[in-house]
DNA sequence: CGGGATCCTGTGCGATACTG
DNA sequence: CAGTATCGCACAGGATCCCG
């Protein structure tokens, strides 16, 4: 919204109905990107295998795919060291760091997770 | 981070590596939920068909699925009016409204969308 | 070590048809 | 009107093998 309540968001003068935050969601919250960015933020620059071990349930192929996407979007920086054995390091870019307040808002909302749990229990326990 | 910069988030005393905001992402940013919540927030309580027309590209089946999920998670309230023809209305719950600051943070980040665009262009234009 | 190439499977979603 | 039921496919992602 532009000026009324000050809450939620500026409604872009969008064509018809499309929610204006959808593009951001597509970029930042596509599958696996959250744990990857989190790991890079939490533990700093690190190698491919390190990331792979931290996330643990991700396969190398998918990790590569997502890292490529994040690199293309400018959220992650890839550094290739032409050595033997080869070494590749990933780190969060400046743009990626700008997501910090957003992730903070996310983690603040997790205080509501138990409310979600109770809502689910209530929903499941009915005719 | 636990206390150094104060940015981003409190690391829940998680088992090992799992990023603490992943559960929130799963609940709030699963497919279609963003436009649905947006439409409900922006235009208030409304009927199924109204939602269907606003989102336009969603099919009734998927809209039903996602609304059920949002209802189960307590983010949306469904009201059934036993009339002929039947009438069903959906609205954002109190819990759903608590997402407002989060969505605000999202929309604020969209100022960086052009940086993403440029990063992509730069990435695509290389050997 | 850091992937690319290939094959295979689960399932999200669209399309269509039917009901209270 | 507000869904449910059924079929079918495309595609994300797992498993495996291989290479610089």
């Amino acid at each position: 919204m532009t000026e009324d309540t000050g809450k939620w968001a500026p409604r872009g003068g969008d064509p018809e109905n499309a929610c204006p935050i959808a593009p951001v969601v597509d970029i930042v919250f596509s599958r696996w990107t959250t744990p990857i960015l989190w790991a890079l933020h939490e533990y700093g620059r690190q190698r491919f295998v390190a990331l792979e071990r931290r996330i643990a349930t991700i396969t190398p192929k998918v990790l590569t795919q997502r890292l490529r996407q994040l690199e293309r979007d400018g959220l992650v920086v890839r550094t290739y060291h032409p050595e033997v054995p080869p070494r590749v390091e990933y780190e969060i870019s400046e743009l990626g760091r700008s997501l910090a307040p957003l992730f903070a808002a996310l983690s603040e909302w997790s205080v509501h997770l138990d409310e979600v749990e109770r809502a689910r229990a209530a929903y499941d326990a009915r005719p």
Side-chain angles (χ1 to χ4, degrees), chain A:
Chain A
M1 54 204 49
T2 36
E3 24 130 56
D4 40 27
T5 75
K7 292 176 60 180
W8 209 316
R11 53 205 299 287
D14 46 340
E16 303 247 33
N17 37 33
C19 122
I21 67 179
V24 178
V25 172
D26 284 345
I27 292 169
V28 180
F29 299 111
S30 51
R31 202 105 218 266
W32 291 113
T33 55
T34 314
I36 292 174
L37 289 174
W38 181 268
L40 287 176
H41 169 266
E42 196 67 7
Y43 304 98
R45 173 195 298 201
Q46 56 200 291
R47 307 177 63 160
F48 186 87
V49 277
L51 273 174
E52 191 178 349
R53 275 191 287 261
R54 279 193 210 291
I55 303 184
T57 62
I58 200 172
T59 63
K61 173 186 148 187
V62 174
L63 180 56
T64 301
Q65 287 177 347
R66 304 280 78 132
L67 282 171
R68 285 285 184 281
Q69 176 193 323
L70 290 170
E71 187 196 359
R72 192 176 100 103
D73 290 347
L75 299 177
V76 156
V77 176
R78 185 184 115 119
T79 314
Y80 176 76
H81 303 267
E83 311 166 354
V84 270
R87 187 162 55 95
V88 176
E89 289 184 316
Y90 292 91
E91 61 184 321
I92 294 215
S93 69
E94 202 56 41
L95 182 58
R97 262 181 255 284
S98 72
L99 291 169
L102 206 158
F103 278 59
L106 259 286
S107 71
E108 277 158 28
W109 198 84
S110 48
V111 299
H112 296 288
L113 281 179
D114 59 330
E115 300 181 52
V116 171
E117 281 306 324
R118 275 183 275 123
R120 285 180 178 171
Y123 184 94
D124 293 344
R126 28 168 254 196

